[in-house]
Amino acid sequence: MEQHRVILNPTQFQLVIRRLCFELIENYDDFSNAVILGLQPRGKYLANRIALELHKMKAVVSPIQIGYLDVTFYRDDFRRREEPIVPGKTEIDFIIENKKVILIDDVLFTGRTIRAGLDAMLAYGRPEKVELLTLIDRRYSRDLPIQPDYVGKKIDSIISQRVQVKWKETDNKDEVILYTPKLKN
Amino acid sequence: MSKLSTKHLLGIKYITKDDIELIFQTADNFKQVINRPIKKVPSLRDITIANLFFENSTRTKLSFELAEKRLSADVINFASSSSSVKKGETLVDTVNNILAMKVDMVVMRHPNPGAAYFLSKQVDAQIINAGDGAHEHPTQALLDAYSIREKYGEVKGKKIVIVGDIAHSRVALSNIFCLQKLGAEVKLCGPLTLIPKYITSLGVEVETNLRKALEWCDVAMMLRIQLERQDKKYFPSLREYSMLYGLNKELLDSLGKEITVMHPGPINRGVEITSDVADSNQAIILDQVENGVAVRMAVLYLLAGKKVD
């Protein structure tokens, strides 16, 4: 059995999303040259939520371009895990040449997914600049020198623990939970 | 489900419906990849693939090679006409020598039925059958079914007639297995001399009248008359064959419904299909070729994705 602890409850969750949006507004002004890329599968929900919130705040002049990037074919653990991962869908109907890209994922852990994401992104052009936004940063657990520019919440965790981000759209509730496996005596 | 039930792709007979659906699902992603400006992904960068073609091929060979390169695999090619096979080397020896150069996967076309199966028992590499005699041509059947799925949304319940030289066709056999596994109804049409005697034991019907067959079907798959495999006369003349079993515009337009026309290539224009039909918008022959690359990428990706020890 696993023990679990709520890291962000629905109220805190909403506050964090709004804060992330304010931080983005400070740096991107009216978002005229910015695009949002959510990493499949779970970064998509955060990307959608951030875009929605920015529109609600009337921070953007025209609808912000949003795409979803699947990194499966760029992963470095192909042939090193038991089963190949079933790829998600890449949906990017614009070119990111000279755009400012806000790369979004829900949880930053080892940094390997982001590394793959940076590679995958280059198939769509050379961006002017890329920044990384994550809801949860599991700090001190990076395998690669990758750090986020915008963080919802930093947490200290060990490898055997697991973080789950729940979304209203799919899990009926906005919530972040940290699961800890029970030690065997 | 994200794993194929098999280590090799030797024939459709040996894989399950779930395998086929997984391949299709993965091919959807690769189809998106090959239609964007940068068509390459790095997944197979540490894999070497040998393409062994003991029999002539244009489409299949190029399609496999392109699929391998789009996945970043290292590729070596081999054609029996310019190799030591002519000096009397056996198949197993040839392949073992190639594998000694550290090759991970073998894509093989061979004139003898069962060659791929035989090889999979003898050597330690993953084998993909790219056509073995008149036995199976699994990736062709997969791309055919994938093209039908793309056109109609699903293969289940569709009525498909395979017309022509069934007896010498590996495409026909693989397609019968594949389409049936996906829940389609399959009928065969052609002169009885070109239809194997006990083929109905596979659960397919045989129709000798082309018009009746076409009136029944949603999709007509036209096959080439494989003169190179025919050791004796199976019909009086190509002209007579063409008159009875060739698909022309007049026949197609007189059906009173729109059917889809497919052909695995190479086309013999004016024999099994006339030019105006082959180039009409009811034909999806070039879509088949495009889908071939995506489907082969999916097969290679899924087979290569097994864990290395």
Side-chain angles (χ1 to χ4, degrees):
Chain A
M1 267 305 286
E2 284 180 317
Q3 291 177 319
H4 70 278
R5 182 162 67 86
V6 176
I7 299 174
L8 289 179
N9 65 33
T11 316
Q12 294 164 323
F13 197 107
Q14 180 58 16
L15 276 173
V16 166
I17 299 275
R18 283 179 68 86
R19 176 173 57 73
L20 288 170
C21 287
F22 283 124
E23 287 181 22
L24 287 173
I25 294 168
E26 280 182 25
N27 285 345
Y28 285 87
D29 202 15
D30 63 357
F31 293 86
S32 52
N33 197 33
V35 299
I36 288 180
L37 280 189
L39 293 187
Q40 289 276 30
R42 310 282 302 179
K44 181 178 173 176
Y45 303 109
L46 181 56
N48 285 342
R49 192 65 71 80
I50 294 278
L52 181 71
E53 202 67 28
L54 287 174
H55 284 126
K56 271 196 208 159
M57 290 174 176
K58 305 213 183 324
V60 289
V61 275
S62 53
I64 190 164
Q65 285 186 309
I66 176 163
Y68 312 114
L69 186 63
D70 184 75
V71 306
T72 312
F73 302 134
Y74 297 85
R75 296 185 67 92
D76 57 6
D77 57 357
F78 186 63
R79 276 159 69 81
R80 286 157 184 86
R81 49 169 64 232
E82 287 302 323
E83 297 189 7
I85 296 174
V86 174
K89 200 171 174 203
T90 294
E91 293 169 63
I92 302 177
D93 47 13
F94 46 84
I95 291 291
I96 59 168
E97 191 79 24
N98 291 328
K99 297 276 186 189
K100 290 178 180 170
V101 175
I102 306 163
L103 200 58
I104 295 183
D105 203 2
D106 59 348
V107 182
L108 176 60
F109 184 30
T110 61
R112 285 176 188 270
T113 304
I114 305 299
R115 203 280 312 150
L118 290 170
D119 264 5
M121 191 184 65
L122 295 180
Y124 295 89
R126 177 184 185 270
E128 181 189 316
K129 178 180 171 180
V130 185
E131 288 197 304
L132 176 61
L133 180 151
T134 63
L135 187 59
I136 300 295
D137 173 11
R138 297 179 65 173
R139 60 180 172 186
Y140 309 130
S141 53
R142 220 71 81 229
D143 293 348
L144 297 167
I146 281 170
Q147 301 306 336
D149 301 285
Y150 308 92
V151 181
K153 191 177 173 67
K154 287 183 183 168
I155 61 162
D156 297 327
S157 61
I158 54 171
I159 289 176
S160 60
Q161 287 175 317
R162 191 165 62 84
V163 176
Q164 190 192 15
V165 179
K166 292 186 173 179
W167 296 97
K168 240 188 287 185
E169 293 86 336
T170 53
D171 316 291
N172 301 318
K173 200 177 186 184
D174 290 338
E175 198 174 45
V176 182
I177 298 169
L178 178 71
Y179 292 92
T180 310
K182 218 170 203 173
L183 295 174
K184 288 177 191 138
N185 326 321
Chain B
M1 241 297 291
S2 67
K3 198 158 73 172
L4 294 180
S5 65
T6 164
K7 189 183 162 201
H8 313 279
L9 180 65
L10 304 173
I12 302 292
K13 193 164 64 182
Y14 310 108
I15 64 174
T16 64
K17 180 171 180 262
D18 287 344
D19 289 334
I20 298 172
E21 274 163 6
L22 177 63
I23 291 169
F24 286 178
Q25 204 186 331
T26 315
D28 286 341
N29 296 85
F30 285 118
K31 180 136 192 199
Q32 190 266 333
V33 168
I34 61 175
N35 277 300
R36 65 185 198 194
I38 297 177
K39 302 177 173 60
K40 205 164 166 146
V41 294
S43 304
L44 265 59
R45 67 194 146 202
D46 50 359
I47 293 192
T48 309
I49 303 173
N51 296 323
L52 311 186
F53 281 75
F54 293 92
E55 198 183 82
N56 295 336
S57 162
T58 315
R59 243 163 313 278
T60 308
K61 187 164 188 272
L62 289 179
S63 181
F64 262 114
E65 193 171 339
L66 204 53
E68 290 153 5
K69 288 181 170 168
R70 295 266 152 89
L71 288 166
S72 303
D74 288 322
V75 182
I76 53 172
N77 285 305
F78 163 100
S80 64
S81 53
S82 58
S83 71
S84 287
V85 173
K86 290 266 181 268
K87 299 177 190 165
E89 192 171 48
T90 67
L91 176 61
V92 173
D93 280 341
T94 304
V95 173
N96 270 328
N97 275 284
I98 290 167
L99 293 181
M101 301 177 207
K102 306 290 174 221
V103 168
D104 306 284
M105 293 173 99
V106 172
V107 174
M108 186 172 77
R109 166 164 294 186
H110 201 280
N112 293 341
Y117 181 84
F118 167 75
L119 197 63
S120 73
K121 300 283 172 223
Q122 303 291 325
V123 303
D124 185 29
Q126 288 179 288
I127 313 290
I128 297 175
N129 183 3
D132 56 339
H135 180 218
E136 280 229 40
H137 189 353
T139 54
Q140 179 69 43
L142 289 170
L143 75 89
D144 287 341
Y146 183 82
S147 303
I148 295 171
R149 167 183 178 264
E150 189 177 63
K151 170 101 187 183
Y152 291 99
E154 63 174 351
V155 178
K156 197 174 171 201
K158 293 286 160 297
K159 294 174 177 166
I160 291 130
V161 61
I162 307 178
V163 185
D165 189 353
I166 313 292
H168 298 95
S169 175
R170 51 191 169 220
V171 177
L173 193 59
S174 284
N175 259 313
I176 292 170
F177 289 134
C178 188
L179 294 169
Q180 285 186 338
K181 281 184 183 181
L182 293 172
E185 280 182 71
V186 184
K187 202 174 257 192
L188 306 175
C189 178
L192 285 177
T193 48
L194 288 174
I195 292 180
K197 203 169 177 188
Y198 297 106
I199 195 87
T200 47
S201 63
L202 293 177
V204 292
E205 279 178 50
V206 173
E207 169 65 60
T208 50
N209 184 315
L210 181 62
R211 172 177 286 278
K212 279 189 191 157
L214 293 177
E215 278 167 357
W216 170 84
C217 75
D218 299 306
V219 178
M221 215 177 262
M222 309 305 294
L223 301 179
R224 182 176 62 95
I225 294 294
Q226 307 209 8
L227 289 174
E228 77 276 16
R229 288 188 213 284
Q230 295 181 4
D231 46 0
K232 54 184 180 226
K233 282 276 181 193
Y234 288 89
F235 46 85
S237 71
L238 272 182
R239 184 172 162 274
E240 188 169 334
Y241 176 83
S242 179
M243 284 171 72
L244 285 171
Y245 293 102
L247 183 56
N248 56 42
K249 193 78 184 142
E250 200 186 330
L251 177 57
L252 198 58
D253 289 344
S254 70
L255 292 175
K257 64 170 182 176
E258 187 135 313
I259 63 165
T260 301
V261 179
M262 299 174 70
H263 196 300
I267 305 177
N268 283 337
R269 287 180 185 254
V271 181
E272 69 272 8
I273 187 167
T274 55
S275 276
D276 47 1
V277 174
D279 302 330
S280 72
N281 48 17
Q282 275 171 265
I284 55 167
I285 298 170
L286 293 176
D287 299 293
Q288 291 173 262
V289 179
E290 180 189 343
N291 290 336
V293 178
V295 166
R296 290 183 175 111
M297 283 172 85
V299 168
L300 291 163
Y301 174 82
L302 290 167
L303 285 179
K306 307 253 166 169
K307 194 179 180 187
V308 280
D309 304 313

